[in-house]
């Protein structure tokens, strides 16, 4: 984007310490803007665009000229929760941005962990037990994917191509080639009942908060497993612990938690049936993300519709 007029200013902030990487990349990909790192801004009152990951509360209220805010991730819950987010400000998410490939790897590992009993062998090793079990065929492990967006649909398709029986669930009815799909609350029950491994790839919204809870677990077959790589608040942690303790669920692989990292005394740290990873299922690829942001800035200047615009009422 180039501008013959006054300098357009953008601000970047990423709570994971990568602000400088983003500033350099955005200065290259969206060179029409002068990108600065929060809070070292020359003229905050002139900033028109913000590219953010977990920004500090109060930051947006210092940027009166803001015309758009970009999430530096696929999720936008961290932005929509900001008390100072102006009601009419467009919020834009990243779609895939290099994450689908990583998410496929993560979920495939998780599904195979349960399909091939690696969780049990790990527990056996701690007990000094050598106990091979019969190897299942792929068609015997049915997988359910909650969320069929940019990431969930790529994951469901990849698992299907791998030969696993996959079904998916979304808010509105989706069609994926050769994959059974469900939608809405009745569809969730149907999906849970058929899923030996349930994978959550939902955004956190008022509707999805707490969806991974006792009523859902009760619908899942005895010995089923859960993989959550959406958001920690999708899960009612106490309900998962109860389902694991009763043996109704055999295990869980959790990439996201309500508190990251969880406090030292959190029961998940040492639970024999829980595999934790530190929110690494899929990381934003800077180049792909900057391309999307730059293209959207061009659209914004041209008054064209933005791609990946979040529906604020829906929450994603
Ligand atoms: P999308 O917005 O592309 O897709 C969201 C999907 O969830 C859609 O299929 C949508 O349904 C469905 N959905 C939303 N609300 C409901 C509901 N109430 N009931 C049923 N389905 C619902 O998101 P992405 O695929 O890009 O990302 C999903 C989430 O993954 C992100 O929001 C983020 O929280 C998480 N994430 C985690 C990462 C990690 O490293 N752990 C990395 C990246 C993302 P519909 O199709 O009808 O709109
Ligand atoms: C994201 C994430 O939302 O990494 O992109 O969680």
């Amino acid at each position: 984007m180039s501008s013959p007029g006054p300098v357009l200013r953008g601000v970047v902030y990423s709570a994971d310490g990568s602000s400088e990487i983003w500033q350099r990349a955005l200065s290259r990909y969206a060179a029409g803007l002068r990108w600065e790192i929060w809070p070292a801004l020359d003229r905050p009152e002139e900033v028109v665009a913000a590219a953010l990951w977990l920004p500090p509360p109060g930051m947006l209220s210092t940027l009166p000229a803001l015309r758009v805010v970009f999430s530096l991730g696929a999720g936008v819950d961290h932005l929509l929760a900001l008390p100072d987010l102006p009601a009419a400000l467009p919020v834009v998410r990243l779609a895939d941005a290099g994450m689908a490939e990583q998410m496929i790897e993560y979920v495939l590992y998780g599904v195979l962990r349960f399909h091939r009993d690696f969780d049990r062998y790990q527990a056996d090793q701690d007990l000094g037990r050598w106990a091979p079990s019969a190897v299942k065929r792929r068609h015997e492990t049915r997988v359910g994917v909650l969320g069929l967006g940019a990431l969930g649909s790529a994951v469901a398709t990849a698992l299907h191509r791998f030969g696993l029986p996959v079904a998916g669930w979304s808010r509105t009815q989706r069609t994926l080639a050769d994959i059974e799909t469900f939608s809405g609350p009745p569809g969730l029950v149907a999906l849970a009942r058929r899923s030996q491994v349930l994978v959550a790839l939902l955004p956190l919204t008022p509707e999805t908060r707490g969806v991974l809870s006792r009523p859902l677990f009760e619908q899942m077959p005895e010995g089923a497993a859960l993989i959550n790589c959406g958001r920690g608040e999708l899960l009612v942690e106490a309900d998962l612990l109860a389902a694991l303790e009763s043996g109704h669920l055999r295990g869980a692989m959790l990439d996201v938690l309500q508190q990251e990292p969880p406090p030292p005394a959190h029961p998940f740290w040492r639970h024999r049936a829980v595999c934790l990873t530190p929110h690494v299922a899929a990381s934003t690829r800077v180049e792909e993300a900057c391309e999307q942001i730059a293209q959207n800035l061009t659209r914004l200047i041209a008054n064209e519709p933005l791609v990946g615009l979040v529906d604020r009422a829906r929450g994603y």
Side-chain angles (χ1 to χ4, degrees), residues 53 73-75 99 231 279 282 284:
W53 182 248
M99 286 181 268
R231 281 292 179 266
H279 202 140
T284 308

Side-chain angles (χ1 to χ4, degrees), residues 82-218:
L82 291 171
D84 54 339
L85 181 72
L89 186 69
V91 175
V92 181
R93 59 184 292 265
L94 294 173
D96 183 352
M99 286 181 268
E101 182 182 291
Q102 301 166 68
M103 198 57 91
I104 289 167
E105 292 168 355
Y106 185 95
V107 174
L108 187 56
Y109 172 87
V111 171
L112 290 178
R113 177 178 169 82
F114 300 112
H115 171 69
R116 291 298 309 268
D117 292 332
F118 297 144
D119 58 334
R120 292 194 172 136
Y121 298 136
Q122 192 175 334
D124 283 354
Q125 186 176 338
D126 290 342
L127 300 169
R129 188 163 62 194
W130 188 268
S133 52
V135 175
K136 294 189 289 278
R137 307 290 297 266
R138 286 188 197 165
H139 69 260
E140 294 177 74
T141 297
R142 291 188 306 276
V143 184
V145 179
L146 305 179
L148 294 175
L151 302 178
S153 61
V155 164
T157 302
L159 296 179
H160 167 71
R161 290 195 182 133
F162 189 69
L164 292 156
V166 184
W169 181 69
S170 48
R171 191 178 57 83
T172 57
Q173 187 61 37
R174 298 275 160 189
T175 308
L176 289 180
D178 301 323
I179 294 176
E180 196 177 357
T181 51
F182 300 87
S183 60
L188 180 57
V189 173
L191 183 88
R193 285 190 179 151
R194 71 172 294 290
S195 299
Q196 269 118 7
V197 183
L198 198 60
V199 180
L201 265 168
L202 292 163
L204 178 65
T205 72
E207 274 186 33
T208 62
R209 182 180 292 274
V211 68
L212 307 175
S213 60
R214 191 175 131 192
L216 182 71
F217 301 150
E218 284 174 351

Side-chain angles (χ1 to χ4, degrees), residues 22 26 35 51 70 72 94 289-297:
W22 285 104
L26 282 167
W35 292 94
F70 296 101
L72 294 178
L94 294 173
C290 288
E291 270 169 23
Q292 290 185 22
I293 292 171
Q295 285 165 10
N296 263 326
L297 284 167

